Every structure is written in C-alpha cells, then in structure tokens.
Amino acid sequence: MASILTASTAELPSSASHPHDPALLPHLDTIIRGDCVAAMDKLPDASVDVIFADPPYNLQLGGDLHRPDQSKVDACDDAWDQFDSFAAYDAFTRAWMLAARRVLKPTGTIWVIGSYHNIFRVGATMQDLGYWILNDVVWRKTNPMPNFRGRRFQNAHETMIWASKSEKAKGYTFNYEAMKAANDDTQMRSDWLFPICQGGERLKDDDGQKVHPTQKPESLLARIMMATSKPGDVVLDPFFGTGTTGAVAKKLGRHFVGIEREQDYIDAAQARIDAIEPLRSIDLRQLMPKRAEPRVAFLSLIEAGLLQPGARLTDAKGRYSATVRADGTLLSGDHEGSIHRVGAKVQGFEACNGWTFWHYDAGEGCEPIDTLRAIIRRQMARSGG
C-alpha cells in the first residue's frame, strides 16, 4: 500500500536531463508502507539518483538509562532497533544494501548514517558489496546528550558514509563550487556542525512525547542534497521515519521515494510534508562549475565587438604582450596561435590558461579576458543558447 502525498510531480522540476523511468512514476513523492527490501523490489533498476539511509543502529541497550536525578532517559528502545546478534544485523544490512544497489543509478551515490554501534559493520558490508567509499563525514552535534554514567567519553557525533555504486563509477553529482562558495570560499570539510533535532522541528504527539526517537535535523539533509544532488533528482529513503528526507526534498525541488513500516510514522510524515512549501525555481539555482558552462571561442569576443583586431593584450604584470588578429589568434614576436598556445610559449611553459593569463585595457586598468567571456556566456543564457 502506498500513501500518496500532496506533493505532486508537477510541483517539482523535471526536465529532459532528469528523465524518470516510467515504472518509477507511481512511486514518486510517495511513502511505500512495508519492509524496505520488499518495497525496493517494486522499484525499477537504476532509477534513483541519491539514497539516504538511516537504518536501525542496533544500540544494544541493556536496561533503562537514568539521569543523575533518577529521571528516565527517553532513549531508542523500539523493537525495530533490536537484533538477536551481530550476525543477524549483518544479514539485515547486506539484504537492504543489495536492494539499494540495484535501484541506484550508475551515476548515483548513497549516504548511510550511524553511530559507533553499527557504522563500522555497515562500512565493511558496503565495501564487500562493491560500493566505493568517497568520504566519511562526521556530524558533530552542538548539543549532544550527556554520558550520564560517566564511564565513557560523551558521544558527540555520528558518522555518515558517502559512497558511489562502484569504484569505476563516473559522473556522480558533487556540487563542489556551490559548497565552497557557501563555506566562505573555502573547501567544505568532512566535519559538519549541526544541533540535534529540537524546538518546533521536533515532532511531538498529543502527550508531548517525541514521535520518533532518532528524528534527524532538516539542516543535515539539506546539506546532503545541496551537495550531492540536483533539482529534479530522485532521493530514496528506505528508512523514512517521520519524513525528514521527504520534507527537505520537497522544499529543495527534488523528488523522493520513502519506505516505512510503521503507520504512525507514515501519518506524521505525510502531515509534515503536506505542510511544506517548495522554494521557487530561481532560489534553487546552484553555482555551476566552470567545466559545466558553455564553451566560448576567443573569436566570439571579436565577433561581438568586445575586442578589436589589433588590440594589445598583456599579462597581469605587463611583462609579455600580444596582438589580437582578426581570425581569433594572437601574435607575440615569433609566436602565433591560440590564446593558450601563445601564453604558454612566451613563458616557456608547456600549457597556459589564456583566459586568465591575458589581460585587456578596460579603461581604468587591466582586466583578464575571462571577464569578456563571462559577458558572452550571459548573453547565451538570456538567449537560451
């Protein structure tokens, strides 16, 4: 039985670059009720772009846990988190990971989150099944639960494994430039600082109790999706819980497929996702890497009148100069050819990025010709080219 949410596929971006398998369409933006392996068997091969999995941690809690004032800690002691042995947990992990690998696109990636109780066993199983680990990312909690017994260090983090489908997988999404720009133009590190789910985001029942003991913060899922997916992509969560993945996917213009066994969690997730307002398409545009931008020939600058034949170009410090010719080549002494070839020759190098090496007279100083290329690209974007 599938619980179809109000987030229709028409609300979310879908273009020719995101052709969805017709067999997947009935499951888009829905929660499938049932066992995760059986439910994934309903999905077509190679049909999802990203998987976020928050499987049972197998916490192995021995009895109740109390605070120093003897009040009981509301820990995760649900039946779904309990396994008879490590062997039973490993068999469960292998089964769902095999199912997940089948539905993951060749260019897709998977995220699995866990604690010290399970993440190392999970990682070993992933490698045994052929997944290729790209990163382990540490979620550092700003407000972790204390260690009340005082017999161990405070558990202040969880670990996420990010992996591709295989060692040879190519073309997976990683929005490096966007993550770097969002991090004050510094490479995004693999340790992320977020608070645990709290305040109005934490779902509570009529008695004020947590609906789900391990609800993840939306900020964590948002970073995962912004870093490793594109608008219109399909994100699968085989342990959907109260729907954090679905809520964030709807807000960020992604599709989702959720799988959950417990009807109470499904009901809470559906109400939560129904209330989400997707962001506007303009607010979802991501910073594109330069290699993804349209190619521009140097000759285009001359044809557009941005540079004239006979114009003089120099390097940033004025040590080298070259003359622009009508056919889009440069001449510098005995050297002639493309902006890259001449830039390399005058320096005695094997290669050179002519777009950043050569500068033109902008009137109030010199600017790299790359700024003129940017003008052409903006014109191409406006014209749909």
Short mmCIF file of all heavy atoms in Angstrom, two decimals, residues 66-109:
data_model
loop_
_atom_site.label_atom_id
_atom_site.label_comp_id
_atom_site.label_asym_id
_atom_site.label_seq_id
_atom_site.Cartn_x
_atom_site.Cartn_y
_atom_site.Cartn_z
N HIS A 66 19.13 6.15 33.28
CA HIS A 66 18.60 7.22 34.12
C HIS A 66 19.60 8.35 34.26
O HIS A 66 20.82 8.14 34.26
CB HIS A 66 18.23 6.69 35.51
CG HIS A 66 17.09 5.73 35.50
ND1 HIS A 66 17.25 4.38 35.26
CD2 HIS A 66 15.75 5.93 35.69
CE1 HIS A 66 16.07 3.77 35.31
NE2 HIS A 66 15.15 4.69 35.56
N ARG A 67 19.08 9.56 34.42
CA ARG A 67 19.90 10.72 34.70
C ARG A 67 20.29 10.72 36.18
O ARG A 67 19.76 9.93 36.97
CB ARG A 67 19.12 12.00 34.37
CG ARG A 67 18.70 12.12 32.91
CD ARG A 67 17.95 13.43 32.68
NE ARG A 67 17.56 13.60 31.27
CZ ARG A 67 16.45 13.09 30.73
NH1 ARG A 67 15.61 12.40 31.49
NH2 ARG A 67 16.18 13.27 29.46
N PRO A 68 21.22 11.60 36.58
CA PRO A 68 21.61 11.65 37.99
C PRO A 68 20.43 11.90 38.93
O PRO A 68 20.46 11.48 40.10
CB PRO A 68 22.62 12.81 38.03
CG PRO A 68 23.22 12.82 36.67
CD PRO A 68 22.10 12.46 35.74
N ASP A 69 19.38 12.60 38.45
CA ASP A 69 18.20 12.83 39.31
C ASP A 69 17.22 11.67 39.27
O ASP A 69 16.10 11.79 39.76
CB ASP A 69 17.51 14.14 38.91
CG ASP A 69 16.94 14.09 37.48
OD1 ASP A 69 17.06 13.03 36.82
OD2 ASP A 69 16.41 15.12 37.03
N GLN A 70 17.64 10.56 38.65
CA GLN A 70 16.86 9.32 38.54
C GLN A 70 15.70 9.38 37.55
O GLN A 70 14.93 8.44 37.45
CB GLN A 70 16.33 8.89 39.91
CG GLN A 70 17.44 8.56 40.90
CD GLN A 70 18.42 7.53 40.35
OE1 GLN A 70 18.03 6.46 39.94
NE2 GLN A 70 19.71 7.89 40.32
N SER A 71 15.58 10.48 36.82
CA SER A 71 14.57 10.51 35.76
C SER A 71 15.05 9.64 34.61
O SER A 71 16.25 9.54 34.32
CB SER A 71 14.34 11.95 35.29
OG SER A 71 15.53 12.51 34.77
N LYS A 72 14.11 9.01 33.91
CA LYS A 72 14.44 8.07 32.85
C LYS A 72 14.75 8.80 31.54
O LYS A 72 14.05 9.74 31.17
CB LYS A 72 13.27 7.09 32.62
CG LYS A 72 13.58 6.01 31.59
CD LYS A 72 12.38 5.08 31.41
CE LYS A 72 12.65 4.06 30.30
NZ LYS A 72 11.50 3.14 30.10
N VAL A 73 15.82 8.37 30.88
CA VAL A 73 16.19 8.94 29.60
C VAL A 73 15.33 8.32 28.51
O VAL A 73 15.15 7.10 28.45
CB VAL A 73 17.69 8.68 29.29
CG1 VAL A 73 18.04 9.20 27.89
CG2 VAL A 73 18.57 9.33 30.34
N ASP A 74 14.77 9.17 27.66
CA ASP A 74 13.93 8.70 26.56
C ASP A 74 14.82 8.24 25.42
O ASP A 74 14.98 8.91 24.40
CB ASP A 74 12.99 9.83 26.09
CG ASP A 74 12.00 9.36 25.03
OD1 ASP A 74 11.85 8.14 24.87
OD2 ASP A 74 11.38 10.23 24.39
N ALA A 75 15.44 7.06 25.59
CA ALA A 75 16.36 6.53 24.60
C ALA A 75 15.62 5.68 23.58
O ALA A 75 14.43 5.38 23.73
CB ALA A 75 17.44 5.70 25.29
N CYS A 76 16.33 5.27 22.54
CA CYS A 76 15.72 4.45 21.49
C CYS A 76 15.71 2.99 21.94
O CYS A 76 16.75 2.32 21.92
CB CYS A 76 16.49 4.61 20.19
SG CYS A 76 15.81 3.64 18.84
N ASP A 77 14.55 2.51 22.36
CA ASP A 77 14.42 1.11 22.77
C ASP A 77 13.31 0.41 21.99
O ASP A 77 12.75 -0.59 22.44
CB ASP A 77 14.16 1.01 24.27
CG ASP A 77 12.94 1.82 24.72
OD1 ASP A 77 12.27 2.42 23.84
OD2 ASP A 77 12.66 1.84 25.93
N ASP A 78 13.00 0.92 20.79
CA ASP A 78 11.93 0.35 19.98
C ASP A 78 12.34 -1.00 19.42
O ASP A 78 13.53 -1.28 19.20
CB ASP A 78 11.59 1.30 18.83
CG ASP A 78 11.11 2.65 19.34
OD1 ASP A 78 11.97 3.46 19.73
OD2 ASP A 78 9.89 2.87 19.35
N ALA A 79 11.35 -1.82 19.12
CA ALA A 79 11.60 -3.18 18.64
C ALA A 79 12.36 -3.16 17.31
O ALA A 79 13.20 -4.05 17.04
CB ALA A 79 10.28 -3.93 18.47
N TRP A 80 12.11 -2.14 16.47
CA TRP A 80 12.76 -2.11 15.16
C TRP A 80 14.27 -1.88 15.26
O TRP A 80 15.00 -2.07 14.27
CB TRP A 80 12.13 -1.06 14.24
CG TRP A 80 11.96 0.33 14.80
CD1 TRP A 80 10.82 0.89 15.26
CD2 TRP A 80 12.97 1.35 14.93
NE1 TRP A 80 11.03 2.18 15.68
CE2 TRP A 80 12.34 2.50 15.48
CE3 TRP A 80 14.33 1.41 14.62
CZ2 TRP A 80 13.03 3.67 15.75
CZ3 TRP A 80 15.03 2.59 14.89
CH2 TRP A 80 14.38 3.69 15.45
N ASP A 81 14.78 -1.49 16.43
CA ASP A 81 16.21 -1.27 16.59
C ASP A 81 16.90 -2.45 17.29
O ASP A 81 18.06 -2.38 17.63
CB ASP A 81 16.46 0.01 17.40
CG ASP A 81 17.92 0.45 17.34
OD1 ASP A 81 18.40 0.70 16.23
OD2 ASP A 81 18.57 0.50 18.40
N GLN A 82 16.20 -3.54 17.47
CA GLN A 82 16.74 -4.66 18.24
C GLN A 82 16.97 -5.88 17.35
O GLN A 82 16.09 -6.29 16.60
CB GLN A 82 15.80 -4.99 19.40
CG GLN A 82 15.63 -3.84 20.39
CD GLN A 82 14.56 -4.09 21.43
OE1 GLN A 82 13.99 -5.18 21.51
NE2 GLN A 82 14.27 -3.07 22.23
N PHE A 83 18.15 -6.46 17.47
CA PHE A 83 18.53 -7.65 16.71
C PHE A 83 19.11 -8.68 17.67
O PHE A 83 19.74 -8.34 18.67
CB PHE A 83 19.55 -7.29 15.63
CG PHE A 83 18.99 -6.38 14.55
CD1 PHE A 83 18.89 -5.01 14.76
CD2 PHE A 83 18.55 -6.91 13.36
CE1 PHE A 83 18.36 -4.17 13.78
CE2 PHE A 83 18.01 -6.08 12.37
CZ PHE A 83 17.91 -4.72 12.58
N ASP A 84 18.93 -9.94 17.33
CA ASP A 84 19.35 -11.02 18.22
C ASP A 84 20.87 -11.14 18.32
O ASP A 84 21.39 -11.59 19.34
CB ASP A 84 18.78 -12.36 17.74
CG ASP A 84 17.27 -12.43 17.88
OD1 ASP A 84 16.73 -11.69 18.74
OD2 ASP A 84 16.63 -13.20 17.15
N SER A 85 21.57 -10.77 17.29
CA SER A 85 23.02 -10.93 17.27
C SER A 85 23.63 -10.01 16.21
O SER A 85 22.92 -9.47 15.35
CB SER A 85 23.39 -12.38 16.95
OG SER A 85 22.96 -12.72 15.64
N PHE A 86 24.95 -9.89 16.25
CA PHE A 86 25.63 -9.13 15.21
C PHE A 86 25.44 -9.81 13.85
O PHE A 86 25.32 -9.15 12.83
CB PHE A 86 27.12 -9.00 15.52
CG PHE A 86 27.43 -8.03 16.61
CD1 PHE A 86 28.26 -8.38 17.66
CD2 PHE A 86 26.92 -6.74 16.59
CE1 PHE A 86 28.56 -7.48 18.67
CE2 PHE A 86 27.20 -5.83 17.58
CZ PHE A 86 28.03 -6.20 18.63
N ALA A 87 25.43 -11.14 13.85
CA ALA A 87 25.23 -11.86 12.58
C ALA A 87 23.87 -11.53 11.97
O ALA A 87 23.75 -11.35 10.75
CB ALA A 87 25.35 -13.37 12.82
N ALA A 88 22.84 -11.43 12.82
CA ALA A 88 21.51 -11.09 12.32
C ALA A 88 21.51 -9.67 11.76
O ALA A 88 20.89 -9.40 10.72
CB ALA A 88 20.48 -11.23 13.44
N TYR A 89 22.19 -8.76 12.44
CA TYR A 89 22.25 -7.38 11.95
C TYR A 89 23.01 -7.31 10.63
O TYR A 89 22.60 -6.59 9.70
CB TYR A 89 22.91 -6.47 12.99
CG TYR A 89 22.87 -5.02 12.60
CD1 TYR A 89 21.72 -4.26 12.80
CD2 TYR A 89 23.97 -4.39 11.99
CE1 TYR A 89 21.65 -2.92 12.41
CE2 TYR A 89 23.92 -3.06 11.62
CZ TYR A 89 22.76 -2.32 11.83
OH TYR A 89 22.70 -1.01 11.44
N ASP A 90 24.11 -8.07 10.53
CA ASP A 90 24.88 -8.07 9.29
C ASP A 90 24.06 -8.61 8.12
O ASP A 90 24.15 -8.10 7.00
CB ASP A 90 26.16 -8.90 9.46
CG ASP A 90 27.14 -8.26 10.43
OD1 ASP A 90 26.98 -7.06 10.74
OD2 ASP A 90 28.08 -8.96 10.87
N ALA A 91 23.27 -9.64 8.37
CA ALA A 91 22.43 -10.21 7.31
C ALA A 91 21.39 -9.20 6.86
O ALA A 91 21.11 -9.06 5.66
CB ALA A 91 21.77 -11.50 7.81
N PHE A 92 20.80 -8.49 7.82
CA PHE A 92 19.83 -7.44 7.51
C PHE A 92 20.48 -6.34 6.68
O PHE A 92 19.93 -5.89 5.66
CB PHE A 92 19.28 -6.87 8.83
CG PHE A 92 18.61 -5.53 8.71
CD1 PHE A 92 17.33 -5.43 8.19
CD2 PHE A 92 19.26 -4.38 9.12
CE1 PHE A 92 16.71 -4.18 8.08
CE2 PHE A 92 18.65 -3.15 9.02
CZ PHE A 92 17.37 -3.05 8.50
N THR A 93 21.68 -5.92 7.07
CA THR A 93 22.39 -4.87 6.36
C THR A 93 22.71 -5.28 4.93
O THR A 93 22.51 -4.51 3.98
CB THR A 93 23.69 -4.51 7.10
OG1 THR A 93 23.38 -4.06 8.43
CG2 THR A 93 24.46 -3.41 6.37
N ARG A 94 23.18 -6.50 4.77
CA ARG A 94 23.53 -6.99 3.44
C ARG A 94 22.29 -7.03 2.54
O ARG A 94 22.36 -6.65 1.36
CB ARG A 94 24.15 -8.39 3.55
CG ARG A 94 24.59 -8.96 2.20
CD ARG A 94 25.22 -10.33 2.37
NE ARG A 94 25.60 -10.89 1.08
CZ ARG A 94 26.72 -10.62 0.43
NH1 ARG A 94 27.60 -9.81 0.98
NH2 ARG A 94 26.98 -11.16 -0.74
N ALA A 95 21.16 -7.45 3.09
CA ALA A 95 19.94 -7.57 2.28
C ALA A 95 19.47 -6.23 1.77
O ALA A 95 19.18 -6.07 0.57
CB ALA A 95 18.85 -8.25 3.11
N TRP A 96 19.40 -5.23 2.64
CA TRP A 96 18.88 -3.94 2.18
C TRP A 96 19.89 -3.21 1.30
O TRP A 96 19.51 -2.49 0.37
CB TRP A 96 18.38 -3.07 3.33
CG TRP A 96 19.37 -2.36 4.20
CD1 TRP A 96 19.76 -2.71 5.46
CD2 TRP A 96 20.07 -1.14 3.91
NE1 TRP A 96 20.66 -1.80 5.96
CE2 TRP A 96 20.86 -0.83 5.04
CE3 TRP A 96 20.10 -0.28 2.81
CZ2 TRP A 96 21.68 0.30 5.10
CZ3 TRP A 96 20.91 0.84 2.87
CH2 TRP A 96 21.69 1.12 4.01
N MET A 97 21.19 -3.43 1.55
CA MET A 97 22.18 -2.77 0.71
C MET A 97 22.24 -3.36 -0.69
O MET A 97 22.51 -2.65 -1.67
CB MET A 97 23.55 -2.84 1.37
CG MET A 97 23.72 -1.83 2.48
SD MET A 97 25.44 -1.58 2.86
CE MET A 97 25.29 -0.10 3.87
N LEU A 98 21.99 -4.66 -0.82
CA LEU A 98 21.90 -5.26 -2.15
C LEU A 98 20.72 -4.68 -2.92
O LEU A 98 20.83 -4.35 -4.11
CB LEU A 98 21.76 -6.78 -2.03
CG LEU A 98 23.05 -7.58 -1.82
CD1 LEU A 98 22.72 -9.02 -1.47
CD2 LEU A 98 23.93 -7.52 -3.07
N ALA A 99 19.58 -4.57 -2.25
CA ALA A 99 18.39 -3.99 -2.88
C ALA A 99 18.63 -2.55 -3.27
O ALA A 99 18.21 -2.10 -4.36
CB ALA A 99 17.19 -4.11 -1.94
N ALA A 100 19.31 -1.79 -2.41
CA ALA A 100 19.58 -0.38 -2.68
C ALA A 100 20.53 -0.23 -3.86
O ALA A 100 20.36 0.66 -4.70
CB ALA A 100 20.17 0.28 -1.44
N ARG A 101 21.51 -1.10 -3.96
CA ARG A 101 22.49 -1.01 -5.04
C ARG A 101 21.84 -1.26 -6.39
O ARG A 101 22.20 -0.65 -7.40
CB ARG A 101 23.64 -1.99 -4.81
CG ARG A 101 24.87 -1.74 -5.66
CD ARG A 101 26.06 -2.52 -5.13
NE ARG A 101 27.26 -2.16 -5.87
CZ ARG A 101 27.68 -2.79 -6.98
NH1 ARG A 101 26.98 -3.80 -7.45
NH2 ARG A 101 28.78 -2.41 -7.59
N ARG A 102 20.86 -2.13 -6.41
CA ARG A 102 20.16 -2.42 -7.67
C ARG A 102 19.41 -1.21 -8.19
O ARG A 102 19.40 -0.93 -9.39
CB ARG A 102 19.19 -3.59 -7.48
CG ARG A 102 18.43 -3.97 -8.76
CD ARG A 102 17.37 -5.01 -8.49
NE ARG A 102 16.31 -4.51 -7.61
CZ ARG A 102 15.31 -3.74 -8.02
NH1 ARG A 102 15.21 -3.35 -9.28
NH2 ARG A 102 14.39 -3.35 -7.16
N VAL A 103 18.76 -0.45 -7.31
CA VAL A 103 17.93 0.68 -7.76
C VAL A 103 18.73 1.96 -7.95
O VAL A 103 18.23 2.93 -8.52
CB VAL A 103 16.75 0.94 -6.80
CG1 VAL A 103 15.90 -0.30 -6.66
CG2 VAL A 103 17.24 1.41 -5.43
N LEU A 104 19.97 1.99 -7.51
CA LEU A 104 20.80 3.18 -7.64
C LEU A 104 21.33 3.30 -9.07
O LEU A 104 21.81 2.33 -9.65
CB LEU A 104 21.97 3.11 -6.66
CG LEU A 104 22.79 4.38 -6.42
CD1 LEU A 104 21.93 5.48 -5.80
CD2 LEU A 104 23.99 4.07 -5.51
N LYS A 105 21.24 4.50 -9.63
CA LYS A 105 21.78 4.74 -10.97
C LYS A 105 23.30 4.56 -10.98
O LYS A 105 23.95 4.74 -9.93
CB LYS A 105 21.43 6.15 -11.44
CG LYS A 105 19.96 6.39 -11.73
CD LYS A 105 19.72 7.83 -12.18
CE LYS A 105 18.25 8.10 -12.45
NZ LYS A 105 18.00 9.50 -12.88
N PRO A 106 23.89 4.26 -12.13
CA PRO A 106 25.36 4.16 -12.19
C PRO A 106 26.05 5.45 -11.74
O PRO A 106 27.17 5.41 -11.22
CB PRO A 106 25.63 3.88 -13.68
CG PRO A 106 24.38 3.24 -14.18
CD PRO A 106 23.26 3.89 -13.40
N THR A 107 25.37 6.58 -11.93
CA THR A 107 25.93 7.88 -11.52
C THR A 107 25.44 8.30 -10.13
O THR A 107 25.72 9.41 -9.69
CB THR A 107 25.53 8.97 -12.52
OG1 THR A 107 24.10 8.98 -12.65
CG2 THR A 107 26.15 8.71 -13.88
N GLY A 108 24.71 7.43 -9.46
CA GLY A 108 24.13 7.78 -8.17
C GLY A 108 25.08 7.56 -7.01
O GLY A 108 26.12 6.91 -7.14
N THR A 109 24.72 8.10 -5.86
CA THR A 109 25.50 7.90 -4.64
C THR A 109 24.57 7.58 -3.48
O THR A 109 23.37 7.86 -3.52
CB THR A 109 26.37 9.12 -4.28
OG1 THR A 109 25.54 10.29 -4.17
CG2 THR A 109 27.45 9.35 -5.32
#
